[in-house]
Amino acid sequence: MEEEMPHDDKTYKLTTFAGGCFWGLELAYQRVPGVVYTAVGYTQGSEATPNYDQVCAGATDHTEAVIVLYDPSECSYEDLLDTFFNRVNVLTVNGQGNDRGRQYRTGVYYHSKEQEEIAKARFVLEQQKYTARKIATECKPAKPFWPAEKYHQQYLEKGGRFGQSQS
């Protein structure tokens, strides 16, 4: 997928993050000014067209992720990294919160050389905060992103399990 996407005389950029269960991370990115679209899905695995049951079973090596389309004139890639690093525990291996398994691993998946350079520099800075332990979060090129099933999209915004939407 291309990193830049023209739309209505603007150029949007694309990036992907994994931070445990995709619902909470998606909601966090929906709240960032300059983010114009998010979708939850699966990335970094080998199976073509994975589905939720396969990914949850750990059968595909995918991780739950959020793809973020943003307007770089309103929101920098660094801003998106701030959201990520403020939201996840980068030391946790294969999980976040109560969610455990390789499908819940954390990652920053870049779509361009520029994003790669910025992300890798940020990882160096973040690692300096944790001198006794190595960051478990991945920093890799983005592989194909497979959107999750429709009912997963904007799940918390639509009300989640309890039917109470979150703005």
Side-chain angles (χ1 to χ4, degrees), residues 86-134:
N86 289 329
R87 175 102 178 117
V88 304
N89 179 342
V90 296
L91 300 176
T92 304
V93 177
N94 294 333
Q96 290 289 292
N98 293 327
D99 298 313
R100 296 285 178 236
R102 188 145 168 77
Q103 68 273 26
Y104 296 116
R105 69 189 182 274
T106 58
V108 172
Y109 305 113
Y110 46 84
H111 289 250
S112 70
K113 186 70 174 161
E114 177 188 24
Q115 286 181 358
E116 176 183 12
E117 291 169 1
I118 294 168
K120 286 183 175 182
R122 180 63 180 268
F123 269 71
V124 169
L125 292 175
E126 292 295 323
Q127 184 61 64
Q128 291 172 359
K129 297 176 185 177
Y130 308 103
T131 56
R133 293 179 60 194
K134 186 174 181 335

Tab-separated table of all heavy atoms in Angstrom, residues 86-134:
chain	number	residue	atom	x	y	z
A	86	ASN	N	2.443	6.483	24.586
A	86	ASN	CA	1.685	6.831	25.793
A	86	ASN	C	0.598	5.816	26.106
A	86	ASN	O	0.054	5.807	27.203
A	86	ASN	CB	1.058	8.229	25.652
A	86	ASN	CG	2.084	9.328	25.707
A	86	ASN	OD1	3.109	9.202	26.380
A	86	ASN	ND2	1.832	10.411	25.000
A	87	ARG	N	0.286	4.962	25.156
A	87	ARG	CA	-0.839	4.029	25.300
A	87	ARG	C	-0.415	2.600	25.647
A	87	ARG	O	-1.160	1.882	26.302
A	87	ARG	CB	-1.615	4.025	23.975
A	87	ARG	CG	-2.715	3.056	23.880
A	87	ARG	CD	-4.048	3.736	24.076
A	87	ARG	NE	-5.085	2.761	23.920
A	87	ARG	CZ	-5.914	2.413	24.884
A	87	ARG	NH1	-5.856	2.984	26.048
A	87	ARG	NH2	-6.830	1.510	24.683
A	88	VAL	N	0.751	2.170	25.178
A	88	VAL	CA	1.138	0.765	25.346
A	88	VAL	C	2.290	0.605	26.337
A	88	VAL	O	3.065	1.527	26.562
A	88	VAL	CB	1.531	0.093	24.008
A	88	VAL	CG1	0.417	0.212	22.988
A	88	VAL	CG2	2.810	0.669	23.454
A	89	ASN	N	2.367	-0.578	26.898
A	89	ASN	CA	3.520	-0.972	27.710
A	89	ASN	C	4.474	-1.684	26.763
A	89	ASN	O	4.237	-2.829	26.373
A	89	ASN	CB	3.098	-1.886	28.853
A	89	ASN	CG	4.274	-2.324	29.700
A	89	ASN	OD1	5.433	-2.246	29.291
A	89	ASN	ND2	3.973	-2.791	30.897
A	90	VAL	N	5.539	-1.003	26.391
A	90	VAL	CA	6.458	-1.517	25.371
A	90	VAL	C	7.323	-2.667	25.876
A	90	VAL	O	8.002	-3.325	25.097
A	90	VAL	CB	7.356	-0.400	24.802
A	90	VAL	CG1	6.513	0.640	24.087
A	90	VAL	CG2	8.221	0.229	25.887
A	91	LEU	N	7.279	-2.939	27.176
A	91	LEU	CA	8.096	-4.006	27.745
A	91	LEU	C	7.365	-5.348	27.770
A	91	LEU	O	7.989	-6.393	27.937
A	91	LEU	CB	8.537	-3.641	29.168
A	91	LEU	CG	9.368	-2.363	29.290
A	91	LEU	CD1	9.646	-2.068	30.753
A	91	LEU	CD2	10.657	-2.466	28.494
A	92	THR	N	6.048	-5.321	27.608
A	92	THR	CA	5.263	-6.549	27.664
A	92	THR	C	5.441	-7.360	26.393
A	92	THR	O	5.242	-6.862	25.291
A	92	THR	CB	3.771	-6.235	27.867
A	92	THR	OG1	3.633	-5.452	29.051
A	92	THR	CG2	2.955	-7.500	27.993
A	93	VAL	N	5.804	-8.610	26.561
A	93	VAL	CA	5.974	-9.517	25.426
A	93	VAL	C	4.631	-10.177	25.122
A	93	VAL	O	3.983	-10.734	26.008
A	93	VAL	CB	7.036	-10.599	25.748
A	93	VAL	CG1	7.158	-11.598	24.604
A	93	VAL	CG2	8.379	-9.957	26.060
A	94	ASN	N	4.210	-10.075	23.872
A	94	ASN	CA	3.011	-10.770	23.395
A	94	ASN	C	1.761	-10.495	24.223
A	94	ASN	O	1.071	-11.412	24.659
A	94	ASN	CB	3.262	-12.274	23.293
A	94	ASN	CG	4.276	-12.603	22.239
A	94	ASN	OD1	4.448	-11.859	21.279
A	94	ASN	ND2	4.966	-13.706	22.414
A	95	GLY	N	1.446	-9.228	24.376
A	95	GLY	CA	0.206	-8.900	25.056
A	95	GLY	C	0.170	-7.495	25.582
A	95	GLY	O	1.173	-6.792	25.616
A	96	GLN	N	-1.020	-7.108	25.991
A	96	GLN	CA	-1.283	-5.851	26.677
A	96	GLN	C	-2.471	-6.090	27.587
A	96	GLN	O	-3.443	-6.736	27.181
A	96	GLN	CB	-1.612	-4.721	25.697
A	96	GLN	CG	-0.448	-4.256	24.858
A	96	GLN	CD	0.587	-3.483	25.649
A	96	GLN	OE1	0.358	-2.380	26.112
A	96	GLN	NE2	1.758	-4.105	25.815
A	97	GLY	N	-2.399	-5.571	28.808
A	97	GLY	CA	-3.514	-5.755	29.737
A	97	GLY	C	-3.812	-7.229	29.935
A	97	GLY	O	-2.907	-8.035	30.166
A	98	ASN	N	-5.097	-7.586	29.816
A	98	ASN	CA	-5.515	-8.980	29.994
A	98	ASN	C	-5.386	-9.818	28.728
A	98	ASN	O	-5.628	-11.018	28.757
A	98	ASN	CB	-6.968	-9.040	30.483
A	98	ASN	CG	-7.116	-8.481	31.881
A	98	ASN	OD1	-6.216	-8.610	32.708
A	98	ASN	ND2	-8.237	-7.852	32.150
A	99	ASP	N	-5.050	-9.189	27.621
A	99	ASP	CA	-4.943	-9.896	26.346
A	99	ASP	C	-3.541	-10.467	26.191
A	99	ASP	O	-2.555	-9.734	26.218
A	99	ASP	CB	-5.261	-8.964	25.175
A	99	ASP	CG	-6.683	-8.448	25.238
A	99	ASP	OD1	-7.586	-9.266	25.457
A	99	ASP	OD2	-6.888	-7.231	25.076
A	100	ARG	N	-3.454	-11.776	26.012
A	100	ARG	CA	-2.163	-12.453	25.910
A	100	ARG	C	-2.119	-13.325	24.668
A	100	ARG	O	-3.113	-13.925	24.283
A	100	ARG	CB	-1.913	-13.329	27.140
A	100	ARG	CG	-1.799	-12.547	28.425
A	100	ARG	CD	-0.451	-11.852	28.491
A	100	ARG	NE	-0.339	-11.063	29.700
A	100	ARG	CZ	-0.064	-9.784	29.706
A	100	ARG	NH1	0.116	-9.144	28.592
A	100	ARG	NH2	0.040	-9.127	30.827
A	101	GLY	N	-0.951	-13.388	24.071
A	101	GLY	CA	-0.742	-14.196	22.876
A	101	GLY	C	-0.031	-13.360	21.829
A	101	GLY	O	-0.067	-12.130	21.860
A	102	ARG	N	0.618	-14.040	20.911
A	102	ARG	CA	1.384	-13.337	19.881
A	102	ARG	C	0.508	-12.398	19.041
A	102	ARG	O	0.974	-11.385	18.544
A	102	ARG	CB	2.089	-14.373	18.994
A	102	ARG	CG	3.050	-13.749	18.021
A	102	ARG	CD	4.270	-14.600	17.777
A	102	ARG	NE	5.029	-14.103	16.645
A	102	ARG	CZ	5.831	-13.031	16.687
A	102	ARG	NH1	5.990	-12.368	17.799
A	102	ARG	NH2	6.484	-12.645	15.603
A	103	GLN	N	-0.781	-12.709	18.925
A	103	GLN	CA	-1.699	-11.869	18.160
A	103	GLN	C	-1.952	-10.521	18.848
A	103	GLN	O	-2.538	-9.626	18.257
A	103	GLN	CB	-3.023	-12.591	17.893
A	103	GLN	CG	-3.886	-12.838	19.112
A	103	GLN	CD	-3.574	-14.126	19.844
A	103	GLN	OE1	-2.476	-14.653	19.795
A	103	GLN	NE2	-4.566	-14.666	20.542
A	104	TYR	N	-1.478	-10.362	20.088
A	104	TYR	CA	-1.628	-9.103	20.810
A	104	TYR	C	-0.290	-8.395	21.019
A	104	TYR	O	-0.188	-7.468	21.811
A	104	TYR	CB	-2.301	-9.341	22.161
A	104	TYR	CG	-3.703	-9.866	22.035
A	104	TYR	CD1	-4.028	-11.133	22.499
A	104	TYR	CD2	-4.705	-9.106	21.440
A	104	TYR	CE1	-5.314	-11.626	22.382
A	104	TYR	CE2	-5.992	-9.600	21.313
A	104	TYR	CZ	-6.286	-10.862	21.793
A	104	TYR	OH	-7.564	-11.335	21.667
A	105	ARG	N	0.744	-8.823	20.293
A	105	ARG	CA	2.042	-8.154	20.428
A	105	ARG	C	1.940	-6.711	19.929
A	105	ARG	O	1.049	-6.373	19.165
A	105	ARG	CB	3.129	-8.919	19.679
A	105	ARG	CG	3.029	-8.887	18.158
A	105	ARG	CD	4.022	-9.866	17.543
A	105	ARG	NE	4.015	-9.851	16.103
A	105	ARG	CZ	3.201	-10.558	15.332
A	105	ARG	NH1	2.276	-11.339	15.880
A	105	ARG	NH2	3.304	-10.503	14.016
A	106	THR	N	2.867	-5.901	20.390
A	106	THR	CA	2.858	-4.491	20.012
A	106	THR	C	3.859	-4.239	18.898
A	106	THR	O	4.881	-4.916	18.804
A	106	THR	CB	3.178	-3.602	21.227
A	106	THR	OG1	4.444	-3.964	21.758
A	106	THR	CG2	2.107	-3.731	22.296
A	107	GLY	N	3.535	-3.248	18.064
A	107	GLY	CA	4.443	-2.936	16.965
A	107	GLY	C	4.153	-1.606	16.307
A	107	GLY	O	3.026	-1.125	16.300
A	108	VAL	N	5.210	-1.042	15.765
A	108	VAL	CA	5.142	0.143	14.909
A	108	VAL	C	5.573	-0.355	13.536
A	108	VAL	O	6.686	-0.851	13.376
A	108	VAL	CB	6.086	1.251	15.420
A	108	VAL	CG1	6.171	2.395	14.417
A	108	VAL	CG2	5.643	1.739	16.794
A	109	TYR	N	4.684	-0.240	12.566
A	109	TYR	CA	4.931	-0.778	11.231
A	109	TYR	C	4.912	0.386	10.234
A	109	TYR	O	3.869	0.950	9.924
A	109	TYR	CB	3.897	-1.846	10.895
A	109	TYR	CG	3.867	-2.924	11.954
A	109	TYR	CD1	2.758	-3.090	12.775
A	109	TYR	CD2	4.972	-3.735	12.166
A	109	TYR	CE1	2.742	-4.063	13.767
A	109	TYR	CE2	4.970	-4.705	13.162
A	109	TYR	CZ	3.850	-4.863	13.957
A	109	TYR	OH	3.860	-5.815	14.947
A	110	TYR	N	6.080	0.736	9.773
A	110	TYR	CA	6.242	1.924	8.933
A	110	TYR	C	5.981	1.601	7.468
A	110	TYR	O	6.165	0.494	6.998
A	110	TYR	CB	7.623	2.542	9.136
A	110	TYR	CG	8.769	1.563	9.119
A	110	TYR	CD1	9.341	1.136	7.928
A	110	TYR	CD2	9.292	1.060	10.313
A	110	TYR	CE1	10.400	0.241	7.913
A	110	TYR	CE2	10.355	0.160	10.308
A	110	TYR	CZ	10.901	-0.241	9.111
A	110	TYR	OH	11.933	-1.130	9.093
A	111	HIS	N	5.551	2.665	6.745
A	111	HIS	CA	5.180	2.548	5.333
A	111	HIS	C	6.114	3.301	4.408
A	111	HIS	O	5.880	3.311	3.196
A	111	HIS	CB	3.744	3.058	5.127
A	111	HIS	CG	2.705	2.165	5.704
A	111	HIS	ND1	1.850	1.429	4.929
A	111	HIS	CD2	2.383	1.883	6.991
A	111	HIS	CE1	1.031	0.738	5.707
A	111	HIS	NE2	1.329	1.004	6.968
A	112	SER	N	7.129	3.962	4.951
A	112	SER	CA	8.045	4.730	4.110
A	112	SER	C	9.413	4.802	4.782
A	112	SER	O	9.554	4.530	5.973
A	112	SER	CB	7.514	6.149	3.898
A	112	SER	OG	7.592	6.896	5.107
A	113	LYS	N	10.385	5.228	4.009
A	113	LYS	CA	11.742	5.420	4.537
A	113	LYS	C	11.733	6.505	5.616
A	113	LYS	O	12.399	6.382	6.641
A	113	LYS	CB	12.695	5.778	3.387
A	113	LYS	CG	14.129	5.852	3.797
A	113	LYS	CD	14.669	4.476	4.121
A	113	LYS	CE	16.162	4.535	4.389
A	113	LYS	NZ	16.637	3.366	5.118
A	114	GLU	N	10.986	7.570	5.362
A	114	GLU	CA	10.895	8.652	6.351
A	114	GLU	C	10.324	8.136	7.677
A	114	GLU	O	10.860	8.416	8.757
A	114	GLU	CB	10.029	9.782	5.806
A	114	GLU	CG	9.834	10.913	6.794
A	114	GLU	CD	8.816	11.944	6.338
A	114	GLU	OE1	7.929	11.622	5.516
A	114	GLU	OE2	8.905	13.074	6.827
A	115	GLN	N	9.233	7.393	7.616
A	115	GLN	CA	8.652	6.832	8.839
A	115	GLN	C	9.633	5.882	9.515
A	115	GLN	O	9.739	5.868	10.746
A	115	GLN	CB	7.348	6.087	8.529
A	115	GLN	CG	6.183	6.994	8.230
A	115	GLN	CD	4.906	6.229	7.950
A	115	GLN	OE1	4.871	5.000	7.946
A	115	GLN	NE2	3.840	6.967	7.701
A	116	GLU	N	10.336	5.086	8.730
A	116	GLU	CA	11.321	4.157	9.298
A	116	GLU	C	12.375	4.917	10.102
A	116	GLU	O	12.687	4.540	11.243
A	116	GLU	CB	11.991	3.353	8.188
A	116	GLU	CG	13.085	2.436	8.699
A	116	GLU	CD	13.814	1.681	7.592
A	116	GLU	OE1	13.637	2.026	6.398
A	116	GLU	OE2	14.560	0.759	7.927
A	117	GLU	N	12.920	5.967	9.528
A	117	GLU	CA	13.972	6.729	10.210
A	117	GLU	C	13.452	7.361	11.495
A	117	GLU	O	14.112	7.317	12.536
A	117	GLU	CB	14.538	7.792	9.265
A	117	GLU	CG	15.338	7.195	8.129
A	117	GLU	CD	15.697	8.201	7.033
A	117	GLU	OE1	15.342	9.403	7.157
A	117	GLU	OE2	16.334	7.770	6.047
A	118	ILE	N	12.258	7.938	11.428
A	118	ILE	CA	11.666	8.579	12.615
A	118	ILE	C	11.360	7.540	13.686
A	118	ILE	O	11.662	7.747	14.872
A	118	ILE	CB	10.404	9.382	12.222
A	118	ILE	CG1	10.787	10.560	11.319
A	118	ILE	CG2	9.652	9.852	13.461
A	118	ILE	CD1	9.599	11.231	10.645
A	119	ALA	N	10.766	6.414	13.284
A	119	ALA	CA	10.412	5.368	14.248
A	119	ALA	C	11.652	4.774	14.905
A	119	ALA	O	11.694	4.603	16.134
A	119	ALA	CB	9.593	4.276	13.568
A	120	LYS	N	12.664	4.465	14.126
A	120	LYS	CA	13.877	3.868	14.700
A	120	LYS	C	14.570	4.835	15.659
A	120	LYS	O	15.066	4.411	16.714
A	120	LYS	CB	14.813	3.387	13.591
A	120	LYS	CG	14.292	2.126	12.931
A	120	LYS	CD	15.234	1.579	11.883
A	120	LYS	CE	14.718	0.252	11.350
A	120	LYS	NZ	15.626	-0.343	10.366
A	121	ALA	N	14.601	6.112	15.330
A	121	ALA	CA	15.186	7.099	16.236
A	121	ALA	C	14.375	7.180	17.532
A	121	ALA	O	14.945	7.277	18.630
A	121	ALA	CB	15.249	8.468	15.557
A	122	ARG	N	13.061	7.097	17.418
A	122	ARG	CA	12.200	7.144	18.613
A	122	ARG	C	12.416	5.912	19.482
A	122	ARG	O	12.434	6.003	20.712
A	122	ARG	CB	10.738	7.274	18.189
A	122	ARG	CG	9.768	7.320	19.339
A	122	ARG	CD	9.985	8.552	20.232
A	122	ARG	NE	9.043	8.581	21.318
A	122	ARG	CZ	7.872	9.210	21.272
A	122	ARG	NH1	7.516	9.899	20.203
A	122	ARG	NH2	7.074	9.178	22.308
A	123	PHE	N	12.590	4.756	18.856
A	123	PHE	CA	12.848	3.533	19.622
A	123	PHE	C	14.146	3.645	20.414
A	123	PHE	O	14.223	3.158	21.541
A	123	PHE	CB	12.864	2.305	18.704
A	123	PHE	CG	11.523	1.653	18.552
A	123	PHE	CD1	10.513	2.275	17.823
A	123	PHE	CD2	11.257	0.425	19.127
A	123	PHE	CE1	9.273	1.683	17.678
A	123	PHE	CE2	10.009	-0.178	18.996
A	123	PHE	CZ	9.014	0.454	18.273
A	124	VAL	N	15.152	4.282	19.848
A	124	VAL	CA	16.416	4.492	20.571
A	124	VAL	C	16.150	5.336	21.814
A	124	VAL	O	16.619	5.010	22.918
A	124	VAL	CB	17.476	5.144	19.658
A	124	VAL	CG1	18.683	5.614	20.466
A	124	VAL	CG2	17.907	4.172	18.564
A	125	LEU	N	15.381	6.414	21.662
A	125	LEU	CA	15.045	7.268	22.800
A	125	LEU	C	14.220	6.530	23.848
A	125	LEU	O	14.471	6.661	25.054
A	125	LEU	CB	14.288	8.517	22.332
A	125	LEU	CG	15.069	9.522	21.506
A	125	LEU	CD1	14.154	10.633	21.008
A	125	LEU	CD2	16.220	10.108	22.324
A	126	GLU	N	13.247	5.761	23.392
A	126	GLU	CA	12.404	5.012	24.328
A	126	GLU	C	13.215	3.961	25.084
A	126	GLU	O	13.022	3.766	26.281
A	126	GLU	CB	11.224	4.349	23.598
A	126	GLU	CG	10.211	5.323	23.047
A	126	GLU	CD	9.471	6.119	24.111
A	126	GLU	OE1	9.165	5.567	25.199
A	126	GLU	OE2	9.187	7.301	23.854
A	127	GLN	N	14.126	3.297	24.390
A	127	GLN	CA	14.937	2.259	25.039
A	127	GLN	C	15.783	2.849	26.165
A	127	GLN	O	16.041	2.181	27.169
A	127	GLN	CB	15.816	1.541	24.015
A	127	GLN	CG	16.626	0.389	24.598
A	127	GLN	CD	15.759	-0.712	25.199
A	127	GLN	OE1	15.000	-1.362	24.500
A	127	GLN	NE2	15.857	-0.924	26.503
A	128	GLN	N	16.180	4.096	26.020
A	128	GLN	CA	16.990	4.752	27.058
A	128	GLN	C	16.235	4.870	28.380
A	128	GLN	O	16.847	4.966	29.439
A	128	GLN	CB	17.459	6.128	26.578
A	128	GLN	CG	18.468	6.044	25.461
A	128	GLN	CD	18.801	7.395	24.851
A	128	GLN	OE1	18.277	8.431	25.244
A	128	GLN	NE2	19.684	7.378	23.862
A	129	LYS	N	14.917	4.834	28.342
A	129	LYS	CA	14.103	4.890	29.560
A	129	LYS	C	14.134	3.563	30.322
A	129	LYS	O	13.766	3.512	31.483
A	129	LYS	CB	12.648	5.220	29.215
A	129	LYS	CG	12.434	6.566	28.586
A	129	LYS	CD	10.971	6.734	28.213
A	129	LYS	CE	10.724	8.016	27.477
A	129	LYS	NZ	9.306	8.142	27.053
A	130	TYR	N	14.512	2.496	29.621
A	130	TYR	CA	14.440	1.143	30.187
A	130	TYR	C	15.809	0.474	30.093
A	130	TYR	O	15.996	-0.472	29.343
A	130	TYR	CB	13.406	0.313	29.431
A	130	TYR	CG	12.055	0.988	29.334
A	130	TYR	CD1	11.649	1.606	28.149
A	130	TYR	CD2	11.192	1.029	30.419
A	130	TYR	CE1	10.417	2.233	28.053
A	130	TYR	CE2	9.959	1.649	30.339
A	130	TYR	CZ	9.573	2.252	29.148
A	130	TYR	OH	8.358	2.862	29.058
A	131	THR	N	16.751	0.945	30.849
A	131	THR	CA	18.122	0.449	30.731
A	131	THR	C	18.260	-1.001	31.179
A	131	THR	O	19.146	-1.705	30.711
A	131	THR	CB	19.089	1.334	31.529
A	131	THR	OG1	18.639	1.403	32.893
A	131	THR	CG2	19.153	2.730	30.932
A	132	ALA	N	17.377	-1.453	32.052
A	132	ALA	CA	17.501	-2.817	32.577
A	132	ALA	C	16.787	-3.859	31.715
A	132	ALA	O	17.037	-5.052	31.865
A	132	ALA	CB	16.955	-2.889	34.002
A	133	ARG	N	15.898	-3.411	30.828
A	133	ARG	CA	15.121	-4.356	30.009
A	133	ARG	C	15.051	-3.872	28.576
A	133	ARG	O	15.046	-2.684	28.301
A	133	ARG	CB	13.711	-4.499	30.563
A	133	ARG	CG	13.693	-5.170	31.928
A	133	ARG	CD	12.315	-5.305	32.499
A	133	ARG	NE	11.442	-6.089	31.657
A	133	ARG	CZ	10.120	-6.125	31.820
A	133	ARG	NH1	9.546	-5.436	32.768
A	133	ARG	NH2	9.377	-6.862	31.024
A	134	LYS	N	14.946	-4.835	27.677
A	134	LYS	CA	14.831	-4.516	26.252
A	134	LYS	C	13.361	-4.326	25.886
A	134	LYS	O	12.495	-5.072	26.320
A	134	LYS	CB	15.424	-5.665	25.428
A	134	LYS	CG	15.496	-5.381	23.935
A	134	LYS	CD	16.226	-6.490	23.217
A	134	LYS	CE	16.381	-6.313	21.747
A	134	LYS	NZ	15.473	-5.520	21.018
